[in-house]
Structures are given as C-alpha cells and as structure tokens.
Amino acid sequence: MPDAAAGTPLHIITLVKWVPDAQLERRFTEERHIDRSEGVLGELDEHPLEAALRIKEAAEDREVRVTALTMGPSGAAAAAKKALQIGADDAFVLTDDALAGADISATSTALRAAIERVQEVSELDGELLVVTGMASEDGESGAVPAQLAERLGVHLLSQATSVELAEGRLVVTRTATVEQQTVSAALPAVVSVTDQANDPRYPNFKAIMAAKKKPLTELSLTSVGIGPTSVKPRAQVLTADPRPPRHGGTVITDEGDAGVQIVDFLQKERVL
C-alpha cells in the first residue's frame, strides 16, 4: 500500500539535554541547583537522535528535517553542537536565567513554547514528530514526554524499543510489564525512546567539520512568547548536603564461627 504521507515534509524535533558528566562528582550551587559547569550530551539522548536519523534515512519520497532542541544554561550549546556532529540538520538552544532550577512542569511548559517557535521559524509546512529519551540522566523523572504531549495536544507513545513510520503512521514496539506491544498513532506525536532501541552512531571527522556550517540558534523565553511566571517551579529544593563519606565495613575473622557472626550481623541490620 502506498504511504499516505508520501511527499509530505516531516519535521522531527529531537530533544537533547546537557547533563553533568557522570564521571565527575555531582555538586550543588549556592542556589541549590545542580552544578552544570561541566556537562556532556546525555547518553540517553543519543538514542532518540539515532532513531530520528534512521527515519530520515529510510524516507525516500519525502523531505525530512531533523532538529535538535535543548534547554539549559549557556553551556548547553555544547549538547546541541554534539547533536549537529552526530547528524542533526540544525539546532536550537533555549536558555534563560528564569529557567534555572526548572522542575518537570516548568520544563514541559518551556519546551512546548520552544517547539512551536521552532516550527514557526523553520517554515517547513508538514507533519511533526517529537522524539525524546526515556529520561534525563540528572532528574531521571521520565515524566517530561507525557507532560509535553499533553501540552502540545498530540499523541504520546512511550518507552519505545523500536520506531518507524509505516503508511503515514508512527509505529513503535514497547515492552510492558509482562508483554511486548506494537502500537501506532497518527502524527503529530511525541515518542520517548529507550536505550534498547538502537546503537547510536559516532561522528566522524567529516561530520564534525560539516557541523560547523549548520545553523545553531539561541532562544529565550521572550523569543518563544512566554514570561518567567509561566515557568516558575512548583517544586523547590529546600536543602542540599554533600553525601556523607563511606565508612569502612565490618571485618569478620574466621575462627570457626564466621557463619554465626555473619548471621548475627545480618539480623542486627534487619536483613534476615
């Protein structure tokens, strides 16, 4: 059957995030926000980007544009640049002082406005697909895709382990509690992709050099049409203390009663 969407342009907006480097100790700022002075493109966000690029490569009869969109401090542009090196066609960075400490509600509100603004400036009159990771590696809530789909008023397909377009519909495979499901929805839609969906590609030297010529646009809350009060966090961190140092474990010397000592220790810790 011919694809009902053949010839219709498709805009895939992939959300990526600049997260603290997992190899470094996590710290909080004086304002009790996560210190993001040293960050990287989140590994979980490489999977949705790979899914978007594969959809583009499989589309032979329609124009497909892959846009990377990130929200964060000025340093978040590094995540957008990495997405361009991997293969995104263009990128946008939403950065504003009012977004510091944004919770999931504020994040989904800001991203909804940013996505609508990106659509306006792209002038690509076609269908929309928003692709996200399964969760961010700092907040790890996994709730933003659902909130974003609700704010955009589009379908949500979550926790996808495979993604494709077939006959004009988005088709995904997802793993439920005890079964594997195949579900589909018409576009526009939001889909969250797990780390089991694919093996992300690595940028080669040619791609890295080509990324320098790709457009990277910075957005602010004003430019996307919302004010600071719209992104005021509903949840706030009241206190933040460093993790206490680890203490040495209990050493048991076996003098014929090691088993008894282990049982006594486990009982004391209420494990048994």
Side-chain angles (χ1 to χ4, degrees), residues 8-10 119 122-127:
T8 303
L10 172 63
Q119 285 185 279
S122 69
E123 299 180 349
L124 186 66
D125 187 16
E127 295 180 314

Side-chain angles (χ1 to χ4, degrees), residues 62-103:
R62 66 192 305 186
E63 178 186 0
V64 179
R65 180 183 303 169
V66 176
T67 294
L69 171 62
T70 188
M71 180 186 113
S74 57
K81 292 177 181 178
K82 180 67 177 295
L84 292 174
Q85 294 173 357
I86 293 174
D89 298 306
D90 56 3
F92 291 80
V93 181
L94 175 60
T95 183
D96 198 291
D97 290 342
L99 292 170
D103 57 10

